[in-house]
Amino acid sequence: MVKKNLNYTGVFVSQPGPKAKKGHNQRTRKDILQDLNTCAMEHNGGTFTLAAWNLLDLLKDISRAKTHVLALTLRRTTSMNPRTLYELVDAEVLPMTFMDEFFANQRLLSDSSPVSPRQMLEDDAIKNQLEGAFGVAMVISTELPPGDNRSPRQALTDVCVSTYHAIGLFEKHKRDLEALIKPSVPKEFFVQSLRNALKGGTSRPTF
């Protein structure tokens, strides 16, 4: 979500930074947004689908897709390959109530009317149901600068640019995961699988 001018080079709400100058190799908020969307287009159908199912614990309770979101913090690499644009900093499951409060504050600070994650989920659920999905989950990605390791929850509050993507939940995913994932597998296993996939490896199973 971009809160202010896309040409600014600062990423923090409290520090907008200067606008990019011609002839200077400076990444702007627009560049970050484009990179995050490119990463999502590459990983939504596999890496992020698997992460959403497992980290949101949807096999145990599919309704958690409506009550929680998966928030990721990412760091830009030097790669130009869409599959390895980012490395994982951290992953955190956030309650939708936190997102409701967060977006209520954004409406107070913004001249526009940003759409809440809850509304996004409802709108995308209708679209995905036409394609055979029985629901959607939300994955939010935020880029952090080098050396910054703040939590995904804090990054959403402090950083100006994040992307929000709805992941379709299909019966095929559920069947395949039920056959492969044991109930005792810890969260750290799935976080490491996500980390490996963003480095260009494969996370099993793939969709």
Side-chain angles (χ1 to χ4, degrees):
M1 180 68 65
V2 180
K3 300 174 184 175
K4 299 205 176 185
N5 196 302
L6 290 174
N7 291 323
Y8 284 116
T9 56
V11 297
F12 296 111
V13 175
S14 59
Q15 300 173 348
K19 290 186 177 181
K21 298 180 180 179
K22 291 183 178 180
H24 293 256
N25 187 22
Q26 298 172 292
R27 289 183 78 230
T28 64
R29 294 173 180 179
K30 181 179 180 180
D31 296 326
I32 294 171
L33 185 62
Q34 289 175 336
D35 285 345
L36 288 172
N37 278 317
T38 297
C39 175
M41 289 179 66
E42 178 68 25
H43 287 285
N44 274 357
T47 306
F48 291 164
T49 295
L50 183 62
W53 272 96
N54 290 321
L55 292 175
L56 291 173
D57 212 8
L58 300 182
L59 287 180
K60 290 184 180 178
D61 184 1
I62 194 65
S63 69
R64 283 175 58 81
K66 296 180 179 179
T67 61
H68 294 76
V69 301
L70 176 60
L72 309 176
T73 44
L74 305 173
R75 186 113 59 219
R76 184 68 168 86
T77 68
T78 58
S79 173
M80 297 305 293
N81 183 335
R83 186 163 183 80
T84 54
L85 282 181
Y86 286 97
E87 63 181 3
L88 180 70
V89 179
D90 201 2
E92 185 176 358
V93 174
L94 300 176
M96 187 62 76
T97 50
F98 168 78
M99 299 306 301
D100 289 339
E101 181 179 349
F102 171 71
F103 263 76
N105 292 333
Q106 295 311 305
R107 288 192 180 97
L108 292 175
L109 296 172
S110 176
D111 294 332
S112 61
S113 299
V115 179
S116 72
R118 190 181 294 276
Q119 186 62 53
M120 291 181 200
L121 276 179
E122 291 175 0
D123 294 344
D124 280 300
I126 295 173
K127 297 176 185 177
N128 278 271
Q129 284 169 1
L130 296 175
E131 299 176 4
F134 53 80
V136 293
M138 177 160 288
V139 176
I140 306 172
S141 299
T142 305
E143 178 183 319
L144 291 180
D148 192 313
N149 295 310
R150 71 190 67 201
S151 70
R153 179 188 293 258
Q154 194 62 46
L156 274 172
T157 302
D158 297 343
V159 179
C160 292
V161 185
S162 299
T163 56
Y164 297 68
H165 296 276
I167 304 292
L169 304 175
F170 293 86
E171 184 62 33
K172 171 180 167 40
H173 302 164
K174 183 174 183 291
R175 289 198 308 269
D176 290 348
L177 284 167
E178 285 176 334
L180 292 168
I181 303 299
K182 296 180 180 180
S184 60
V185 175
K187 170 192 171 184
E188 290 73 19
F189 174 85
F190 300 121
V191 173
Q192 188 59 48
S193 294
L194 175 58
R195 194 182 308 278
N196 291 342
L198 287 170
K199 289 181 178 180
T202 58
S203 52
R204 304 290 182 180
T206 56
F207 303 115

